Amino acid sequence: MDDWEEEETAPSFNPASSSNEAPQRSFWNGDAGDSRNDSWNHSNRERGGFTGRGGRGGRGRGFRWSNQDEFNGGGGDSENGFRGRGRGGRGGFRSGGEQRGRGGGGYRGRDEDVFGAAGDDRGAENKDAADGERPKVTYIPPSLPEDEDSIFSQYKMGINFDKYDDILVDVSGTNLPPAILTFEEAKLCESLKNNISRSGYVKPTPVQKYGLPIIAAGRDLMACAQTGSGKTAAFLLPILQQLMTDGAAASRFSEIQEPEAVIVAPTRELINQIYQEARKFSFGTCVRPVVVYGGVNTGYQIREIQKGCNVLCGTPGRLLDMIGKGKVGLSKVRHLVLDEADRMLDMGFEPDTRRLVGFPGMPSKEERQTLMFSATFPEDIQRLAADFLKVDYLFVAVGVLGGACADVEQTFIQVTKFNKREKLLDLLRTTGSERTMVFVETKRQADFIAACLCQEKVPTTSIHGDREQREREKALTDFRSGKCPVLVATSVASRGLDIPDVQHVVNFDLPNNIDDYVHRIGRTGRCGNVGRAVSFYDPDVDNQLARSLVSVLSKAQQEVPSWLEESAFSAHGSSTFNPKTFASTDSRKGSSFQDSSVNFQPPAAAADEEENWE
Ligand SMILES: Nc1ncnc2c1ncn2[C@@H]1O[C@H](COP(=O)(O)OP(=O)(O)OP(=O)(O)O)[C@@H](O)[C@H]1O
């Protein structure tokens, strides 16, 4: 056993498994001021409680359940960014680290690489070993199953899958390749076709119908399509097809691996999921995908890369680390994908994204294909994105840009900070064993709510950035399997995660920007399935989101509560409401940009509707 293979010794915590050992008191009757119950973090640790705070064990902050403010937007542990940050508002907040309080690594504390124990884990392991400040990351994820049934386990298409055909699509740019209607028209090789049908895919979704031929034609693409509508396959399939056509084959015989495709996403769990999709679609071919992300032993990942790597999936910090260590060369990169591209170009990740494209050896944008995908794409981020794309990139918007998935029934409950927990428990009593994701604002809040639910015998687990990677992955496994049907999460789990049978999303705390809301509720209602999202609305805190919420609800043909509408009208000067950025499509429109748009649904009506609010 070499250095890299040591077993991690940190104990892991699963709130569900520790529920019997939680202090015997009710968390739900907000009787403040019981000093005996003020803090149970440390004592509970000894009793098998919350041990998994990402190696930051000695923070000494208890679960001050008697102090509600501790859990309502205060505190420096927020992973959800900053209340009051406008949708897509990239300006300002550069000094976010201060606002975050004790975040490791300044503003980037919001993001995946800082979410984990290792903080900014670029070079973290070496640094750790050198300065002795933090334990070396030794976690090695369990091997993935090799059998076909597991690899091709499917997300069942829902009753509304065929309704995707009715969604209107707006494509702009010049020389548009025609869309396909079937996978056969995509002229994919036999192995890919087999893998598509083994995955249970019968026909392409709209973003696939447009994305596949555009990418196959070598064009750069910015694509925006609703959550759960198949964006991952839209970029993976044509890239894999290209690699197969070019005869790419993983070689073990090179010290430096030079992938032909690099895929970047903002969170560890998401990039791992993309990797597993790449592994599925490339099954039985010579193409070898590899994944690298923070919180996992670097040596293990280096060895995986050295087995051969055609498609490298990574979170930005770890990816840059691998490149910096000379384990990965970029000169053969032909395809660069930014998934959740608006996030990858938001201020948190933009520096790393720029570092990646500027790395010596990375082909210039003229020499590579750059693809960007997300369910939300604010106009200012689109403009920034243009720096990374060829001038003639194509833009595809499926449905309302940044709109919520119409298969999710959205409801709102007015709450105060004092009755939220009671309401959550009431709600969960009605959902039984149905899988439910509960989003909260802070990491401490996530631990606290998970513990509260366990106390009430609701099998619950949690995921957030202070949990070690082993715990994060265990939490997802337990949630997926139904062992813990409730997952309490911070915004780290809001984007991209594709977990079958999530019937409910609860916004215990609403996020501070509308994009996060759209992504969070998109964890349900995927792939034509229906889902429910219930959001707790505290007028004292959430007023700034009211207008954007009303807009999202209307566009998704959802009922808008009259009180929310009133709130929206009275919310003058809201910093989050920017009608110009909300309902537009291609940011190049309205400038001197000339295009041969295939505009299947002029989205102008929606824009007008929003302008009335001003
Ligand atoms: N053509 C298809 N037929 C059947 N199932 C599909 C098809 N395309 C994708 N899926 C499945 O739909 C689910 C959602 O796809 P995916 O995760 O790619 O969505 P997404 O658009 O990337 O969502 P998000 O915006 O949340 O990241 C996945 O389980 C995927 O396997």
Side-chain angles (χ1 to χ4, degrees):
M1 179 180 281
D2 70 21
D3 236 0
W4 303 110
E5 287 167 342
E6 289 163 32
E7 258 302 288
E8 196 169 51
T9 49
S12 86
F13 166 66
N14 181 338
S17 62
S18 70
S19 57
N20 294 339
E21 297 176 70
Q24 293 306 302
R25 62 180 173 78
S26 169
F27 289 92
W28 300 97
N29 57 6
D31 178 18
D34 181 349
S35 58
R36 286 165 304 164
N37 295 327
D38 231 17
S39 169
W40 57 288
N41 195 12
H42 293 292
S43 56
N44 218 43
R45 221 168 253 190
E46 274 131 44
R47 285 181 269 163
F50 289 93
T51 54
R53 302 294 302 259
R56 297 187 200 178
R59 293 201 322 208
R61 294 296 293 259
F63 291 95
R64 298 172 57 84
W65 74 297
S66 60
N67 179 358
Q68 300 260 354
D69 282 335
E70 182 93 10
F71 303 104
N72 285 287
D77 272 354
S78 170
E79 288 183 345
N80 300 337
F82 310 109
R83 284 210 175 271
R85 169 185 169 259
R87 178 183 188 283
R90 293 178 43 253
F93 292 123
R94 285 263 171 207
S95 60
E98 285 157 40
Q99 299 193 31
R100 189 172 174 271
R102 59 174 154 255
Y107 178 80
R108 294 185 67 257
R110 280 182 70 192
D111 307 322
E112 77 72 38
D113 277 341
V114 191
F115 281 162
D120 183 351
D121 66 358
R122 253 164 306 145
E125 290 167 34
N126 286 346
K127 183 169 170 285
D128 291 350
D131 63 18
E133 270 176 20
R134 289 178 296 220
K136 194 162 74 174
V137 177
T138 55
Y139 175 59
I140 294 177
S143 311
L144 291 171
E146 296 287 341
D147 64 291
E148 284 188 41
D149 285 351
S150 310
I151 291 174
F152 290 98
S153 67
Q154 299 163 17
Y155 202 121
K156 297 267 177 303
M157 281 179 281
I159 48 167
N160 289 339
F161 189 88
D162 285 338
K163 290 196 187 158
Y164 280 142
D165 291 338
D166 304 335
I167 301 179
L168 295 149
V169 182
D170 181 27
V171 190
S172 49
T174 50
N175 300 323
L176 311 173
I180 53 164
L181 293 176
T182 63
F183 281 120
E184 286 68 49
E185 290 175 49
K187 301 196 178 65
L188 300 170
C189 63
E190 277 312 304
S191 328
L192 280 181
K193 277 200 272 196
N194 286 340
N195 291 341
I196 287 171
S197 68
R198 276 192 264 190
S199 303
Y201 292 17
V202 177
K203 64 174 179 181
T205 62
V207 70
Q208 293 164 358
K209 288 178 182 171
Y210 288 85
L212 262 64
I214 288 172
I215 298 171
R219 302 292 296 275
D220 282 7
L221 173 65
M222 183 187 289
C224 187
Q226 73 181 44
T227 52
S229 66
K231 293 185 286 295
T232 317
F235 60 77
L236 281 178
L237 291 172
I239 289 178
L240 291 173
Q241 173 60 39
Q242 191 60 53
L243 297 191
M244 309 276 291
T245 308
D246 294 348
S251 162
R252 284 172 169 267
F253 302 108
S254 172
E255 179 65 13
I256 299 180
Q257 288 289 328
E258 300 199 284
E260 288 86 0
V262 170
I263 301 171
V264 193
T267 69
R268 299 167 180 183
E269 288 74 19
L270 176 56
I271 200 67
N272 205 9
Q273 182 182 296
I274 294 169
Y275 159 70
Q276 289 182 34
E277 290 289 288
R279 186 172 170 262
K280 173 173 91 176
F281 290 126
S282 60
F283 182 80
T285 72
C286 295
V287 173
R288 191 177 132 85
V290 178
V291 65
V292 295
Y293 56 91
V296 172
N297 182 270
T298 309
Y300 163 76
Q301 291 180 340
I302 291 172
R303 288 194 298 276
E304 286 300 306
I305 291 173
Q306 286 174 340
K307 287 178 192 166
C309 175
N310 302 109
V311 178
L312 184 57
C313 309
T315 49
R318 185 56 65 96
L319 202 53
L320 287 166
D321 189 21
M322 292 294 176
I323 299 164
K325 281 182 161 75
K327 304 299 172 190
V328 173
L330 297 172
S331 63
K332 290 197 181 147
V333 172
R334 297 288 165 266
H335 314 274
L336 173 66
V337 183
L338 303 184
D339 195 24
E340 307 297 342
D342 55 331
R343 187 75 190 88
M344 298 309 307
L345 296 171
D346 201 347
M347 57 186 173
F349 280 110
E350 186 201 341
D352 276 353
T353 305
R354 286 198 185 276
R355 224 168 281 147
L356 178 66
V357 297
F359 222 93
M362 172 64 97
S364 72
K365 65 181 182 182
E366 307 307 332
E367 291 163 316
R368 62 167 198 257
Q369 180 178 46
T370 308
L371 308 169
M372 301 192 180
F373 284 79
S374 185
T376 52
F377 237 126
E379 230 178 69
D380 57 344
I381 301 277
Q382 282 187 43
R383 276 191 289 272
L384 181 71
D387 282 0
F388 300 81
L389 295 159
K390 293 187 194 94
V391 179
D392 67 346
Y393 73 86
L394 295 175
F395 178 90
V396 172
V398 181
V400 178
L401 187 88
C405 170
D407 294 327
V408 182
E409 180 197 310
Q410 305 173 53
T411 51
F412 286 81
I413 300 176
Q414 279 196 84
V415 296
T416 68
K417 63 184 178 183
F418 300 107
N419 67 5
K420 272 179 160 185
R421 281 179 271 156
E422 205 63 61
K423 298 245 185 226
L424 176 63
L425 197 57
D426 289 347
L427 194 67
L428 293 178
R429 284 192 178 118
T430 67
T431 57
S433 60
E434 291 180 342
R435 237 150 284 178
T436 304
M437 286 178 84
V438 179
F439 282 100
V440 298
E441 173 81 359
T442 67
K443 294 178 258 190
R444 271 176 295 146
Q445 177 82 311
D447 279 343
F448 180 71
I449 296 297
C452 292
L453 293 174
C454 288
Q455 176 83 5
E456 296 294 329
K457 306 278 181 266
V458 179
T460 303
T461 187
S462 70
I463 186 164
H464 61 74
D466 270 357
R467 301 205 74 188
E468 292 180 6
Q469 192 54 28
R470 175 198 299 278
E471 298 169 322
R472 283 165 65 153
E473 290 180 15
K474 173 87 168 60
L476 277 189
T477 305
D478 288 349
F479 183 57
R480 275 179 202 277
S481 72
K483 182 177 169 194
C484 294
V486 177
L487 177 69
V488 183
T490 55
S491 275
V492 70
S494 64
R495 284 182 180 250
L497 292 188
D498 184 53
I499 300 169
D501 302 324
V502 175
Q503 288 102 332
H504 301 275
V505 168
V506 178
N507 281 307
F508 182 87
D509 299 315
L510 273 165
N512 58 22
N513 69 84
I514 197 67
D515 292 340
D516 270 3
Y517 174 80
V518 167
H519 286 279
R520 282 181 181 190
I521 69 167
R523 295 319 98 211
T524 185
R526 300 175 70 76
C527 197
N529 291 281
V530 290
R532 269 181 66 202
V534 179
S535 300
F536 291 170
Y537 183 94
D538 177 350
D540 289 342
V541 182
D542 301 317
N543 206 25
Q544 45 89 24
L545 205 62
R547 290 180 176 191
S548 311
L549 287 172
V550 169
S551 174
V552 163
L553 285 168
S554 329
K555 286 175 190 154
Q557 287 94 49
Q558 301 278 313
E559 197 180 317
V560 182
S562 52
W563 56 263
L564 184 61
E565 219 156 3
E566 277 162 30
S567 230
F569 275 114
S570 62
H572 288 297
S574 161
S575 61
T576 51
F577 183 67
N578 185 343
K580 287 219 163 59
T581 61
F582 189 75
S584 61
T585 53
D586 188 341
S587 68
R588 295 171 296 182
K589 288 182 178 172
S591 66
S592 56
F593 172 67
Q594 300 290 312
D595 74 283
S596 54
S597 278
V598 183
N599 194 345
F600 296 92
Q601 180 194 36
D608 288 347
E609 193 183 289
E610 285 217 346
E611 270 165 17
N612 290 336
W613 291 107
E614 275 295 306

